[in-house]
Amino acid sequence: MVETLRQRFEEACVTTQRDIARTAGVSVAVVSAVLNGTTHTRMSEATRARVLQAMENLDYQPNQAARSLRLNRTGMIALILHKLDNPVYADLLRGVYGAASEHGGTVLLGDAETMRSSSQFVTRLLSQGTVDGILIRDDQLYDDDVMAELRSHPKPILSLDHDQHHPWVGIDDRRAGEIATRFLLNLRHRRIAFIGGAPGHAFQQRYLGYQHEMQQAGLEPAPHLATGFGEQAGADGLRQALQLPAAPTALVVNNIMSAVGVLAAAHDLGIAVPDQLSVVGIHDVALMQHLRPAVTAVRMPMYELGQAGVHALYDLMAGNPHTSGTITTPEPELIIRDSATTLTNT
């Protein structure tokens, strides 16, 4: 019975694909490759465009039930993030959902904060065949038992960050640290501290970028002040920075929400931003332009990261190889607002 249904689904789907193939002047195999996003079948971009145009002209609607039966896939991917309320993820989510839609897939969103070895979330997620692949970010922040369970299953896992255990797509965190620090150096600041974040690849790379620019300018970098993430971490980081032997006149803040905490703590301490303390955050969200002062920030290509991660994961799900690497276009971009100014006295 199941086999009969499978055959009927496949016949219906192949018949429609034959119509597309006939219209586009290609083989059914080429049409199937375009539909499934596989790279095993070689074709030019012109051929791919011709197939897509034929699909549009014929108002083709993929039979998702047939695809699921034929490919033994649901088309659903899981995206697991740490702290879903982090506004930095807004652009990432748009990129993920948009790219998944291009593949005819859906996204299941999971919060790493609720994923503990006792929650059974991972077991239900994987053992019931709910998803075909998993995207994760900042896996070093997750429960070790959860990560071990994820890795024990054959479902493809792709990290949206540099990763030693999985294929990955990343952003240029070191470049972000360089851009923020160079901007402050160009404003004549010499006592610049780096605060916020937790030990991990992104924090280390951003600090290395800061360290490199300070050394290039012949200056001694301040020590790590890895106070964590969020507003409280920014407030704690500012207080620690003020205890350094030479109090800073400027801060590079590892994440933008920590920059909010810096502004609040500076206000409470009677420190005027930017007149007495310049602040540049890494990452950017719409909220930053509405603060007073509006926060200068390094915008990261989070939308493009989400897109690239989904495309790479679907490649892995189709059995195609993926070469891990860093997104280079667009580069991190400095958004100049009001929280940093030229140092007028030393």
Side-chain angles (χ1 to χ4, degrees):
M1 176 65 119
V2 173
E3 189 59 33
T4 300
L5 287 173
R6 187 191 299 273
Q7 290 171 353
R8 288 177 181 173
F9 279 137
E10 289 179 345
E11 287 169 3
C13 189
V14 169
T15 300
T16 306
Q17 290 184 25
R18 284 176 180 157
D19 293 339
I20 297 170
R22 190 179 304 112
T23 301
V26 298
S27 68
V28 173
V30 169
V31 174
S32 179
V34 173
L35 286 171
N36 296 321
T38 179
T39 57
H40 286 319
T41 303
R42 297 179 63 84
M43 73 186 79
S44 67
E45 284 304 313
T47 299
R48 186 182 299 276
R50 200 161 66 248
V51 171
L52 292 172
Q53 186 62 55
M55 290 168 58
E56 182 177 344
N57 292 343
L58 295 172
D59 194 24
Y60 174 73
Q61 300 295 325
N63 188 326
Q64 296 299 334
R67 291 186 71 192
S68 295
L69 281 171
R70 186 174 67 256
L71 302 174
N72 193 29
R73 295 208 299 257
T74 65
M76 180 179 287
I77 61 174
L79 171 62
I80 303 173
L81 300 173
H82 185 262
K83 294 186 179 297
L84 290 181
D85 59 351
N86 188 342
V88 165
Y89 291 142
D91 283 344
L92 176 75
L93 289 170
R94 288 196 306 109
V96 166
Y97 278 91
S101 179
E102 290 178 29
H103 288 274
T106 54
V107 181
L108 176 66
L109 191 58
D111 189 345
E113 289 284 287
T114 65
M115 291 174 58
R116 297 291 180 266
S117 54
S118 60
S119 71
Q120 300 300 308
F121 175 82
V122 177
T123 299
R124 292 196 301 270
L125 183 71
L126 298 176
S127 64
Q128 297 177 10
T130 307
V131 301
D132 298 325
I134 300 170
L135 291 173
I136 59 175
R137 181 165 168 82
D138 297 327
D139 70 342
Q140 66 264 46
L141 301 177
Y142 300 173
D143 184 286
D144 289 341
D145 291 335
V146 167
M147 289 309 305
E149 188 172 2
L150 283 174
R151 292 172 184 140
S152 71
H153 286 263
K155 302 290 186 181
I157 297 175
L158 185 127
S159 178
L160 298 174
D161 197 4
H162 296 66
D163 197 300
Q164 296 180 348
H165 304 287
H166 313 108
W168 56 268
V169 176
I171 52 180
D172 197 344
D173 290 294
R174 175 166 176 153
R175 182 69 183 134
E178 292 172 348
I179 289 171
T181 308
R182 174 50 53 188
F183 175 67
L184 291 170
L185 288 168
N186 288 341
L187 294 178
R188 298 178 56 192
H189 291 277
R190 293 298 178 264
R191 300 198 305 274
I192 304 170
F194 185 101
I195 68 171
H201 182 272
F203 171 79
Q204 291 170 353
Q205 289 299 307
R206 293 170 192 174
Y207 181 80
L208 284 174
Y210 154 81
Q211 187 179 53
H212 173 264
E213 291 299 318
M214 292 291 283
Q215 291 171 342
Q216 287 291 104
L219 301 171
E220 184 68 25
H224 291 81
L225 294 174
T227 52
F229 301 97
E231 296 89 331
Q232 187 58 52
D236 293 342
L238 173 59
R239 290 184 172 91
Q240 289 186 30
L242 294 175
Q243 299 303 313
L244 292 170
T249 63
L251 297 177
V252 175
V253 185
N254 177 72
N255 60 87
I256 198 64
M257 296 313 295
S258 292
V260 175
V262 168
L263 294 189
H267 177 272
D268 292 344
L269 294 169
I271 299 172
V273 177
D275 294 337
Q276 294 174 284
L277 180 72
S278 286
V279 177
V280 177
I282 294 177
H283 280 301
D284 186 39
V285 297
L287 170 66
M288 296 304 109
Q289 63 185 308
H290 300 294
L291 297 178
R292 293 297 177 268
V295 180
T296 295
V298 180
R299 180 177 294 162
M300 305 297 281
M302 297 298 283
Y303 177 83
E304 291 79 7
L305 176 64
Q307 282 188 317
V310 169
H311 293 320
L313 182 61
Y314 272 89
D315 264 354
L316 291 172
M317 287 156 46
N320 300 322
H322 167 69
T323 301
S324 298
T326 299
I327 294 173
T328 56
T329 304
E331 271 200 333
E333 177 188 6
L334 182 69
I335 308 299
I336 300 175
R337 299 193 180 102
D338 303 324
S339 63
T341 191
T342 302
L343 185 68
T344 57
N345 53 52
T346 57

